[in-house]
Amino acid sequence: QFNRAYQLVNSSRIQEHLIKKFNLLKHYGIDTTSEFYYEEAIAILNSRIQVRKSPFNMISVTVSDKQRYLAADMANEIISYLDQTNKKQLVNSMKQKLDLYESLLKNTQSDNTTRAAFFTRQLADLNQILSRLERQEVNSMGVLELQSKLGQLISSMERANDELVKMKVYYALAMQSVQEKNMPSVVVVSKAR
């Protein structure tokens, strides 16, 4: 998240947001009829914003301007916009994970349904063998083989059910995170004054 935050602070998305929000074309006295007026505004803005990374992975954003209150407001707006953008990206990422969990849940449920049907068929075979056992001598290897298959099937169903339970827990936690409105994104250590 640190790298994403650092990139977002330097992104054109934030530059465009600042130019519009603070009417920087007028503030910088840029002639909007000239050919590259917007690029000029971005160049001036970039020259006035300093982004530094500390050894402790903290980002320091400094804005310089002749109007010091505007500079502080712009620095705080950069962080606020960064937080909003970062939250949106986190929510989108969580939604993609939720879709993946939903798909895994459906696949596991489908696999369990298939295993249950196979288990039912194996039980029917076992019942037939047992009913024949009562009437005649039967090869004990057939019973042992069927018993082994049933044991394997039961253990695979237990593992699948455990995985399903875990996926449901992950799904519920991910859903709760997405629905949480105050999801942590950026921590402001100190605001610009």
Side-chain angles (χ1 to χ4, degrees):
Q1 288 186 20
F2 169 78
N3 288 333
R4 180 173 56 226
Y6 191 79
Q7 290 168 354
L8 283 171
V9 168
N10 291 307
S11 70
S12 60
R13 185 186 303 177
I14 285 186
Q15 295 166 350
E16 291 172 5
H17 174 72
L18 292 174
I19 289 171
K20 289 176 186 172
K21 177 160 181 131
F22 295 103
N23 197 12
L24 294 181
L25 295 173
K26 182 178 178 183
H27 177 69
Y28 294 148
I30 296 174
D31 178 15
T32 57
T33 60
S34 65
E35 186 176 0
F36 296 106
Y37 73 92
Y38 204 76
E39 287 74 12
E40 182 182 352
I42 289 174
I44 294 171
L45 181 61
N46 282 340
S47 70
R48 296 187 179 189
I49 297 175
Q50 288 184 340
V51 181
R52 292 189 192 121
K53 172 186 166 187
S54 79
F56 305 106
N57 285 342
M58 291 178 58
I59 299 173
S60 171
V61 178
T62 307
V63 179
S64 58
D65 195 87
K66 61 185 176 185
Q67 294 180 6
R68 61 184 176 181
Y69 294 113
L70 177 64
D73 288 344
M74 286 172 60
N76 290 329
E77 183 63 25
I78 288 170
I79 300 304
S80 174
Y81 193 76
L82 167 68
D83 185 41
Q84 292 169 10
T85 305
N86 200 31
K87 281 183 183 178
K88 286 178 188 174
Q89 287 181 344
L90 287 173
V91 166
N92 286 339
S93 174
M94 291 301 295
K95 285 182 180 177
Q96 289 174 350
K97 289 177 184 174
L98 286 175
D99 291 342
L100 177 65
Y101 288 144
E102 184 67 33
S103 174
L104 288 173
L105 280 170
K106 286 179 183 175
N107 288 343
T108 304
Q109 288 171 337
S110 173
D111 288 347
N112 281 347
T113 302
T114 304
R115 285 184 184 122
F118 181 69
F119 186 68
T120 303
R121 286 193 306 272
Q122 294 295 323
L123 275 177
D125 289 348
L126 182 61
N127 286 336
Q128 283 179 356
I129 290 174
L130 290 176
S131 67
R132 279 188 268 154
L133 244 175
E134 293 172 359
R135 291 178 289 193
Q136 63 184 0
E137 240 180 77
V138 103
N139 186 354
S140 62
M141 288 303 288
V143 174
L144 289 175
E145 183 181 327
L146 190 56
Q147 193 176 24
S148 173
K149 284 182 183 178
L150 288 173
Q152 290 172 357
L153 184 61
I154 289 170
S155 64
S156 76
M157 285 183 72
E158 287 172 349
R159 282 192 307 272
N161 284 335
D162 288 343
E163 289 175 19
L164 183 61
V165 168
K166 286 178 187 175
M167 279 190 260
K168 284 184 178 180
V169 169
Y170 293 146
Y171 181 79
L173 289 173
M175 183 65 91
Q176 182 181 1
S177 295
V178 167
Q179 291 173 346
E180 182 68 36
K181 295 190 179 185
N182 294 322
M183 194 164 63
S185 173
V186 173
V187 176
V188 178
V189 176
S190 65
K191 285 190 153 203
R193 305 248 184 254

